[in-house]
Amino acid sequence: MREWTLEERYRVLQSADEIKGLHEALLGSVYRQKYHIQPITGLSSDPNGFVFHDGVWHLFYQWTPWGAVHGLKYWYHVKSTDLVHWENAGVGMRPDRDFDNKGCHSGSAIAEGDSLYFFYTGNHRDENWVRTPYTCAAKLDENGVPVKLDEPLFGPRDDYSEHQRDPKVFWVEEKQAYYIFIGAQTLDKKGTVLVYKSPKLLEGWEFAGQLNVPGFEDFGGMWECPCIQRISGKDVLLFSPQYTTLPGRGNSTNHNVYLIGSMDYDTLTFTPDSDYHYLDYGFDMYASQLAANVDDPDKAILIGWMGLPDNHYPTEEEDWEGSMTLVRELRVKDGKLLKTPLPAMNELRNGTAPEDGTLPAFCELEVSFPQGETEDSDLNLFTKEDGTGGFTIHYCPHKKKLWVSKKDLDKRFNENVFEELEVPMETPLRTMRVFIDRCSVELFINDGEKTFTAHVYPTEREHFYTKSDNVEMTIWNLNESVKDDFVV
Ligand code: FRU
């Protein structure tokens, strides 16, 4: 792993020419994704500013231009009309003010009338590297570029730690007011959410209080990227708790969870109906964000970062790292979220591939497991020609569990965090849609009851699969849907 100095990580991008070479170099990578959003150069992390406006879906990602390292963060802009085909739209927000001198950190968007507004964290550091996080806003101009307000909307509260960031803005009809949720940490290092309120978007913000979430007063040390949305009459609170391990999540201290319950804006209390749920059971999904201005009371649109904050991935050697997950539709069913691929993903299908034991580099597998089956089932992806190794998926109907392991792949990574995970299966395994791209696998289990997201970096010899006889599978070739153009 390359060592980076602080100067290198926080270098300001002056011109596109400075990173053209980096972009050209990564175009040759066998791990460049074909239908997932990925960094134009360097590193992509959290999705930001996800919104539908005027027929276009806007999305930004946290971006370090210089390499596979967290450093000075920009918002890089991508656009789509169907959430499946994406094109690069250039740098969205640059850390070019004193209040965001060390990064435009995560945030959200909202469309209002003809205008599109962005809310983000200006990560300011002084000469002693002391951090002050500001909540800042910007508005899209007629050239499609976010233009910042001259001053932040508000600064941090001193009765919480320096961890106050990731504003999620939304309108609450019953209160006729806008709200912002901010991910935060109390002075005694407990994760929480701070709530701000205003009748207007760009002024009048006041601190309303700390969100009460009964039963979750001591649940991780920081709640990054909080989001809330009403789906089918239920409130869904989504966040990424850190600095704690959770059952079934190995040694990871970064998680993405949700609660379903009801939100009372008078008392600022979110009352969960039940315990927390993992948003995804895989190795690599974090800092997910719900899209704003989705005009359907029964569904939400979600995207996540395919990666975890402290993890390292093999493409670091190629000076780039990360991608977004596929966009997912969320619905509430039986007190949980169903997470399904977009219907438009079917349009990427381009005929079937022969079921001869070889795996295309990017494809979709439509898998079914016979009902009433009492035998175990196996599906091993990216095996070697002799069927050994691979990314293994094992299901046991008696134990009601699915085991997924990446430890037998040639390229091992994040071994100290986890390489094998279990997925509890409350209902028997019936179906799985498996989306394979050049460095990722996403499992949608039982029509979205569970998902499992993982990076994988198969070597040249790892492009075979094996399965047990009781598993039926169709392999769909897919068309490409992201453009790897150099737009800065
Ligand atoms: C989550 C996060 C956010 C922060 C951003 C900085 O991964 O730590 O809390 O705004 O990344 O890149």
Side-chain angles (χ1 to χ4, degrees):
M1 206 198 327
R2 175 175 159 188
E3 290 293 329
W4 292 78
T5 63
L6 209 57
E7 284 71 27
E8 287 171 329
R9 285 165 48 202
Y10 283 85
R11 178 175 159 195
V12 175
L13 181 64
Q14 308 284 2
S15 93
D17 292 344
E18 293 172 306
I19 53 169
K20 192 150 193 356
L22 282 173
H23 179 75
E24 279 162 6
L26 59 73
L27 290 179
S29 169
V30 297
Y31 299 120
R32 274 315 261 183
Q33 302 275 52
K34 292 293 186 184
Y35 61 97
H36 285 81
I37 298 161
Q38 60 198 332
I40 177 167
T41 61
L43 174 137
S44 61
S45 55
D46 311 5
N48 294 157
F50 193 16
V51 63
F52 185 65
H53 175 60
D54 209 9
V56 177
W57 293 92
H58 295 267
L59 179 75
F60 301 76
Y61 54 76
Q62 286 281 284
W63 178 48
T64 317
W66 304 111
V69 68
H70 292 271
L72 186 63
K73 294 287 175 89
Y74 293 68
W75 280 33
Y76 188 88
H77 190 184
V78 291
K79 288 199 239 178
S80 173
T81 51
D82 62 1
L83 293 171
V84 173
H85 296 82
W86 291 94
E87 54 186 59
N88 291 341
V91 182
M93 213 126 50
R94 297 165 186 272
D96 54 6
R97 302 297 172 91
D98 186 51
F99 53 74
D100 59 20
N101 68 344
K102 291 294 178 273
C104 294
H105 281 189
S106 286
S108 56
I110 189 168
E112 194 57 89
D114 290 341
S115 304
L116 190 49
Y117 301 90
F118 302 97
F119 292 75
Y120 72 99
T121 299
N123 184 50
H124 173 87
R125 286 192 188 267
D126 68 12
E127 55 287 355
N128 299 317
W129 210 245
V130 174
R131 170 145 71 174
T132 311
Y134 291 103
T135 298
C136 310
K139 189 176 169 191
L140 204 72
D141 72 3
E142 52 287 353
N143 302 318
V145 179
V147 177
K148 295 175 190 171
L149 260 57
D150 285 339
E151 298 293 331
L153 296 173
F154 50 87
R157 294 187 59 81
D158 56 14
D159 47 353
Y160 291 83
S161 87
E162 58 157 1
H163 294 292
Q164 299 177 47
R165 56 178 176 266
D166 310 339
K168 170 68 184 177
V169 64
F170 54 100
W171 168 253
V172 178
E173 187 65 26
E174 70 199 69
K175 290 284 167 199
Q176 292 292 300
Y178 294 98
Y179 281 75
I180 287 178
F181 273 14
I182 302 253
Q185 182 187 61
T186 61
L187 288 176
D188 60 350
K189 299 203 176 345
K190 308 273 192 274
T192 189
V193 171
L194 304 183
V195 184
Y196 288 78
K197 186 180 174 187
S198 172
K200 293 191 174 169
L201 272 173
L202 298 184
E203 57 189 320
W205 287 99
E206 281 181 9
F207 181 58
Q210 180 180 327
L211 185 71
N212 307 303
V213 188
F216 290 84
E217 293 79 4
D218 187 4
F219 185 68
M222 164 67 186
W223 289 6
E224 294 194 313
C225 305
C227 253
I228 189 166
Q229 189 171 323
R230 181 159 276 247
I231 311 175
S232 300
K234 280 283 160 200
D235 290 312
V236 178
L237 178 67
L238 177 74
F239 57 102
S240 296
Q242 298 188 294
Y243 308 129
T244 184
T245 54
L246 292 177
R249 303 294 303 156
N251 296 322
S252 178
T253 54
N254 300 292
H255 315 276
N256 208 170
V257 304
Y258 70 89
L259 296 167
I260 296 194
S262 48
M263 178 67 207
D264 181 339
Y265 287 94
D266 287 324
T267 60
L268 295 184
T269 302
F270 184 98
T271 308
D273 291 346
S274 59
D275 207 353
Y276 68 92
H277 305 284
Y278 295 126
L279 181 68
D280 185 273
Y281 281 80
F283 304 111
D284 301 298
M285 185 163 181
Y286 191 74
S288 302
Q289 185 171 117
L290 301 170
N293 299 87
V294 176
D295 204 10
D296 183 337
D298 296 322
K299 84 174 181 204
I301 300 287
L302 173 115
I303 194 164
W305 166 25
M306 200 187 291
L308 296 183
D310 306 314
N311 283 7
H312 294 277
Y313 298 89
T315 53
E316 282 185 12
E317 285 172 22
E318 301 174 354
D319 281 328
W320 70 280
E321 167 178 309
S323 64
M324 297 297 111
T325 67
L326 284 181
V327 173
R328 296 157 193 203
E329 287 192 351
L330 308 184
R331 290 190 173 71
V332 172
K333 190 180 168 224
D334 302 332
K336 286 193 189 168
L337 288 175
L338 280 188
K339 298 146 287 230
T340 49
L342 292 169
M345 282 304 293
N346 288 356
E347 288 158 31
L348 282 192
R349 289 179 177 174
N350 182 10
T352 54
E355 282 150 55
D356 60 0
T358 62
L359 210 50
F362 57 103
C363 59
E364 179 194 341
L365 312 178
E366 219 180 350
V367 192
S368 60
F369 300 82
Q371 285 300 283
E373 183 63 62
T374 53
E375 301 283 302
D376 289 13
S377 310
D378 286 289
L379 176 61
N380 301 326
L381 308 173
F382 312 110
T383 63
K384 297 182 270 270
E385 190 163 15
D386 64 3
T388 60
F391 180 91
T392 60
I393 305 168
H394 179 79
Y395 171 60
C396 174
H398 298 292
K399 299 211 168 109
K400 298 191 173 151
K401 269 185 195 158
L402 198 75
W403 287 266
V404 182
S405 167
K406 56 174 182 164
K407 75 172 184 349
D408 295 323
L409 287 167
D410 282 347
K411 287 199 190 225
R412 293 175 68 176
F413 51 102
N414 300 319
E415 295 100 308
N416 52 339
V417 184
F418 38 34
E419 291 188 287
E420 283 179 280
L421 288 171
E422 296 178 6
V423 186
M425 296 295 301
E426 295 83 15
T427 54
L429 181 58
R430 306 182 306 272
T431 60
M432 213 187 268
R433 288 178 71 181
V434 182
F435 287 90
I436 294 176
D437 206 345
R438 300 217 296 183
C439 66
S440 64
V441 182
E442 282 156 287
L443 313 178
F444 291 82
I445 300 162
N446 283 353
D447 302 316
E449 282 172 12
K450 302 276 164 70
T451 59
F452 192 106
T453 301
H455 270 301
V456 286
Y457 300 84
T459 56
E460 213 175 322
R461 62 179 185 162
E462 292 174 314
H463 62 273
F464 299 90
Y465 67 85
T466 63
K467 62 181 186 61
S468 48
D469 289 341
N470 59 0
V471 175
E472 285 167 24
M473 180 162 104
T474 304
I475 305 174
W476 294 95
N477 289 313
L478 297 182
N479 290 321
E480 301 180 21
S481 70
V482 292
K483 289 206 185 126
D484 225 344
D485 299 338
F486 187 66
V487 186
V488 178

